[in-house]
């Protein structure tokens, strides 16, 4: 399992109602159900992924995140998860507000663009390609890259309170200069 | 996964007769009635593998396979239902039930009214989706089915699958609702009303008592069907299929058939008017118009669905403008409000409303996956 997903499973309280945005084939939701008895729904736009969710016996809703979370009532989830999807969202602010409208807390993970290898590649005049940023610039689904520092700025601006942070590199926690040495960041946040 | 194969045996249309009266939603009572049905596969010992297939406007209980004496007559959902197909009859016991008021075998306007000894005609009551579910429940009793593993349908059939979850929450484990709406829009009702007016203003309609006059309101039925067909296809599918192709190669500057689409609509209308009953058509369009589970709850669909217990699979098609995805999302939203188990697929299939009948790879893959996960 992807290291950020392992962290997320750990953070979700037993029996919590979860919403996994950009849930892929439903792997995380399956783990949450089996390990944390947390029932949930996934949101996914890609046909093949949605069918994979159905095959994995995961509840999935094929809607576009960009139009917000209008299917979901206020406060209907304990935890809303956005794992490695933030960087693909056009209307980032809208979605973050929506996540905290429908859920008591949100868990967000994203590749850290501030990692030294990305900085070095930019310094050398190239768009970064790495394990956490595997795409060439012309084929990437990512539209909004950010760094650990950038994300925390946005949280401040939106009045989002960061409850926990885990920055990883190659699956291991990074505590020294995380914005420089971490390639993957995971946050647990609440409103205000 | 096994490859689809042709049905090993021919299918047989059956009839179940019920002598206990049925009180209809509209207030009328039928003293007795018959329901035409077909079954495919075997009911298992635990009676846990039964799936009810509900049909839409112009179809029947003949869901899959062919008859021994009519091998051309293939069931309307044969691409989905059969051995090795997504609704696998080697695993499930599938029941196709014809609705009350039909012209394909169940008691309907052309049946004999026991009170008069003549066809019901205009006297046959207006039936509703709730009434159909009631009749199907009696059929289930007769077949020894306490609880369906799933009830599935598209369009008007999907409304029955939804109503099953509301009328008999404990008797259905999964409700599969395809290309549906929880109620018709005024625009939907408007199309239905034009179709009804076409039939009722046909001089051969005789107020619904045309059976003993030896005539059929063919012109009205043709137009009703043509209108219907326009709403079943997407503009895109129509453009792709027919374009602006001219039948005769050049405009005729007359009122004979110019464009291929005209030819298609006329053909569909003609065909329909030879096999479908006008009184039935009037009643099913009314059943569509009246269907609105939220009506008794001040229009609140969330409250209306509170008694549902089934797990739901809701499927819509982006090119469907008759019941567009937004209508399915209303249903999904109400199910989510009630914390029901639900999955929702919004497929980018080009077929319009009729996409639910077509063989789209993703659509069928999703149904196969969902049905395959139903525990027996």
């Amino acid at each position: 399992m992807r290291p950020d997903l392992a962290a997320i499973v750990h953070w979700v309280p037993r029996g919590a109602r979860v919403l996994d945005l950009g849930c892929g084939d439903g792997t995380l939701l399956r783990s949450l159900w089996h390990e944390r008895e947390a029932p949930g729904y996934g949101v996914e736009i890609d046909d093949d992924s949605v069918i994979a969710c159905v095959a994995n016996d995961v509840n999935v809703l094929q809607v576009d995140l960009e139009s917000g979370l209008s299917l979901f009532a206020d406060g209907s989830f304990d935890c809303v998860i956005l794992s490695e999807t933030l960087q693909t969202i056009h209307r980032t602010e809208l979605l973050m507000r929506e996540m905290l409208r429908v859920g008591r807390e949100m868990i967000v993970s994203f590749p850290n663009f501030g990692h030294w290898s990305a900085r070095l590649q930019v310094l050398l005049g190239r768009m970064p390609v790495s394990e956490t940023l595997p795409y060439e610039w012309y084929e990437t689904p990512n539209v909004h890259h950010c760094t650990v520092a950038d994300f925390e700025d946005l949280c401040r601006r939106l009045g989002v309170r960061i409850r926990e942070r885990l920055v990883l590199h190659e699956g291991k926690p990074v505590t020294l200069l995380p914005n420089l040495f971490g390639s993957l960041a995971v946050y647990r946040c609440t409103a205000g | 996964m096994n490859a689809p194969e042709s049905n090993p045996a021919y299918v047989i249309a059956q009839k179940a007769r019920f002598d206990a009266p049925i009180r209809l939603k509209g207030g009328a009572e039928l003293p007795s009635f018959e329901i035409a049905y077909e079954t495919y596969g075997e009911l298992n010992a635990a009676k846990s593998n039964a799936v009810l297939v509900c049909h839409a406007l112009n179809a029947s209980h003949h869901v899959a396979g062919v008859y021994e004496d009519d091998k051309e007559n293939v069931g309307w959902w044969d691409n989905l239902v059969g051995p090795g197909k997504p609704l696998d009859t080697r695993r499930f016991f599938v029941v196709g039930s014809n609705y009350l008021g039909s012209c394909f075998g169940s008691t309907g306007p052309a049946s004999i009214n026991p009170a008069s000894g003549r066809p019901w005609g205009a006297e046959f009551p207006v039936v509703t989706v709730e009434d159909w579910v009631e009749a199907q429940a009696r059929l289930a009793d007769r077949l020894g089915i306490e609880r369906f593993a799933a009830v599935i349908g598209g369009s008007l059939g999907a409304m029955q699958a939804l109503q099953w979850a509301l009328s008999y929450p404990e008797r259905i484990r999964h409700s599969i609702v395809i290309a549906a709406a929880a109620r018709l829009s005024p625009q939907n009702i408007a199309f239905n009303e034009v179709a009804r007016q076409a039939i009722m203003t046909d001089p051969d309609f005789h107020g619904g008592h045309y059976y003993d006059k030896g005539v059929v309101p063919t012109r009205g039925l043709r137009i009703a069907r043509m209108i219907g067909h326009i709403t079943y296809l997407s503009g895109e599918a129509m453009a792709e299929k027919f374009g602006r192709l001219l039948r005769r190669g050049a405009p005729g500057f007359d009122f004979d058939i110019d464009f291929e689409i005209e030819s298609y609509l006329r053909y569909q209308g003609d065909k329909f008017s030879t096999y479908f009953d006008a009184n039935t058509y009037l009643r099913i369009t009314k059943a569509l118009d009246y269907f609105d589970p939220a009506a008794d709850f001040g229009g609140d669909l969330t409250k209306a669905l509170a008694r549902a217990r089934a797990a739901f699979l809701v499927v819509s098609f982006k090119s469907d403008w008759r019941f567009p995805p937004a209508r399915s999302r209303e249903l999904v939203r109400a199910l989510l409000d009630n914390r029901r188990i639900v999955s929702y697929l919004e497929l980018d299939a080009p077929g319009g409303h009729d996409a639910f009948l077509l063989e789209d790879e993703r659509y069928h893959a999703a149904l196969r996956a969902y049905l395959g996960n139903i525990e027996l």
Side-chain angles (χ1 to χ4, degrees):
Chain A
M1 180 182 269
R2 252 174 33 210
D4 59 322
L5 298 188
I8 292 169
V9 171
H10 184 69
W11 276 349
V12 170
R14 190 162 291 276
R17 281 176 54 80
V18 294
L19 179 64
D20 183 9
L21 305 176
C23 67
D25 65 3
T27 301
L28 175 62
L29 282 163
R30 261 189 97 80
S31 312
L32 286 171
W33 177 241
H34 290 301
E35 292 175 35
R36 313 297 284 174
E37 289 159 29
Y41 303 90
V43 173
E44 179 56 58
I45 192 76
D46 176 65
D47 286 338
D48 291 335
S49 298
V50 169
I51 293 164
C53 284
V54 172
N56 283 328
D57 218 357
V58 160
N59 301 322
V60 65
L61 306 163
Q62 190 171 28
V63 289
D64 188 0
L65 290 178
E66 298 288 355
S67 53
L69 303 176
S70 57
L71 274 184
F72 309 103
D74 294 359
S76 47
F77 293 94
D78 297 309
C79 188
V80 183
I81 299 163
L82 187 70
S83 66
E84 293 218 37
T85 302
L86 181 76
Q87 73 279 4
T88 67
I89 301 294
H90 284 86
R91 301 166 75 187
T92 312
E93 281 186 50
L94 170 81
L95 185 61
M96 281 183 47
R97 282 206 190 89
E98 281 282 89
M99 287 171 74
L100 286 172
R101 175 183 68 77
V102 305
R104 281 197 301 108
E105 60 177 48
M106 67 174 185
I107 298 175
V108 176
S109 74
F110 58 87
N112 177 29
F113 207 79
H115 186 256
W116 66 265
S117 75
R119 298 190 197 198
L120 183 64
Q121 288 179 70
V122 171
L123 200 66
L124 295 171
R126 296 287 176 179
M127 281 301 281
V129 177
S130 67
E131 203 179 314
T132 49
L133 301 168
Y135 303 101
E136 293 289 348
W137 65 273
Y138 49 83
E139 57 172 17
T140 181
N142 300 335
V143 292
H144 282 156
H145 280 303
C146 72
T147 68
V148 163
D150 290 332
F151 181 75
E152 292 179 9
D153 276 351
L154 179 62
C155 287
R156 262 190 294 278
R157 211 164 65 68
L158 296 177
V160 170
R161 184 152 162 209
I162 296 168
R163 300 285 180 165
E164 272 181 279
R165 179 182 81 174
L166 180 65
V167 183
L168 299 158
H169 184 64
E170 293 181 342
K172 293 190 184 65
V174 175
T175 43
L176 177 71
L177 299 175
N179 197 28
L180 190 61
F181 295 118
S183 52
L184 188 59
V186 199
Y187 286 85
R188 190 168 69 82
C189 311
T190 58
Chain B
M1 202 176 291
N2 297 299
E5 58 186 54
S6 59
N7 277 322
Y10 296 113
V11 301
I12 300 160
Q14 304 180 72
K15 264 187 203 182
R17 186 179 167 78
F18 301 89
D19 286 315
I22 183 168
R23 165 76 60 180
L24 303 172
K25 194 185 178 192
E29 189 177 270
L30 290 178
S32 62
F33 62 97
E34 287 186 319
I35 292 293
Y37 70 99
E38 289 180 10
T39 67
Y40 321 90
E42 301 286 333
L43 187 61
N44 63 10
K47 299 182 174 180
S48 62
N49 69 333
V51 174
L52 177 66
V53 176
C54 302
H55 66 80
L57 205 138
N58 67 312
S60 74
H61 49 289
H62 185 36
V63 174
V66 296
Y67 303 119
E68 187 162 19
D69 58 356
D70 187 3
K71 296 185 182 67
E72 303 297 301
N73 187 0
V74 181
W76 61 271
W77 223 355
D78 191 72
N79 62 22
L80 189 86
V81 181
K85 292 179 184 175
L87 179 44
D88 191 344
T89 51
R90 288 185 297 219
R91 188 160 181 262
F92 291 107
F93 175 63
V94 177
V95 180
S97 160
N98 187 213
Y99 51 57
L100 205 54
S102 174
C103 50
F104 295 123
S106 295
T107 299
S111 308
I112 301 297
N113 178 353
S116 66
R118 294 171 54 226
W120 282 92
E123 264 78 63
F124 194 82
V126 170
V127 283
T128 62
V129 172
E130 289 93 322
D131 300 331
W132 293 342
V133 169
E134 194 54 44
Q136 287 161 353
R138 295 205 194 172
L139 177 64
D141 294 341
R142 182 71 56 87
L143 296 174
I145 299 161
E146 177 58 35
R147 200 171 182 217
F148 281 108
V151 179
I152 179 172
S155 190
L156 182 55
M159 291 171 171
Q160 293 163 65
L162 172 59
Q163 186 59 45
W164 257 95
L166 303 178
S167 295
Y168 291 100
E170 309 302 332
R171 295 191 72 175
I172 158 177
R173 290 195 283 138
H174 294 265
S175 174
I176 304 178
V177 175
I178 306 166
R183 59 174 161 244
L184 261 59
S185 68
Q187 187 190 43
N188 295 144
I189 296 170
F191 279 114
N192 282 344
E193 173 58 6
V194 176
R196 282 190 294 266
Q197 285 298 321
I199 290 169
M200 291 189 294
T201 57
D202 186 318
D204 286 336
F205 181 63
H206 298 289
H209 290 292
Y210 46 87
Y211 303 114
D212 20 5
K213 302 233 166 16
V215 291
V216 170
T218 311
R219 283 159 290 185
L221 268 172
R222 281 180 80 236
I223 294 167
R225 183 58 168 172
M226 288 165 88
I227 294 159
H229 250 281
I230 296 169
T231 68
Y232 305 150
L233 296 177
S234 65
E236 187 191 11
M238 216 183 247
E240 188 166 317
K241 201 165 174 184
F242 307 105
R244 289 180 54 87
L245 280 179
L246 291 163
R247 252 299 113 131
R248 292 170 284 177
F253 297 101
D254 56 22
F255 298 97
D256 208 346
I257 294 175
D258 274 320
F259 295 95
E260 284 291 352
I261 181 63
E262 297 173 291
S263 162
Y264 173 79
L265 287 179
R266 288 191 198 190
Y267 169 76
Q268 292 294 344
D270 286 340
K271 194 171 76 168
F272 189 69
S273 67
T274 64
Y275 73 83
F276 209 87
D277 180 62
N279 280 321
T280 289
Y281 200 88
L282 293 179
R283 279 156 186 76
I284 46 178
T285 56
K286 273 290 173 191
L288 274 161
D289 291 359
Y290 287 149
F291 183 68
D292 183 4
D296 290 338
F297 297 86
D300 188 334
L301 190 59
T302 296
K303 284 186 187 150
L305 298 189
R307 66 209 137 113
R309 291 290 167 272
F312 280 80
L313 174 66
V314 180
V315 181
S316 75
F317 303 98
K318 283 185 181 164
S319 60
D320 182 355
W321 63 277
R322 182 181 172 91
F323 295 155
R327 311 304 314 283
S328 286
R329 288 197 296 262
E330 291 168 8
L331 178 60
V332 172
R333 162 95 206 215
L335 290 166
L336 288 168
D337 287 344
N338 282 298
R339 305 196 162 187
R340 294 274 73 87
I341 294 173
V342 53
S343 279
Y344 171 57
L345 270 72
E346 191 171 304
L347 294 170
D348 195 4
H353 188 59
D354 268 353
F356 84 88
L357 294 167
L358 305 176
E359 207 173 332
D360 179 89
E361 201 184 316
R362 293 156 301 168
Y363 169 46
H364 274 198
L367 287 179
R368 184 186 288 281
Y370 189 86
L371 290 160
N373 279 333
I374 293 180
E375 287 171 21
L376 302 185

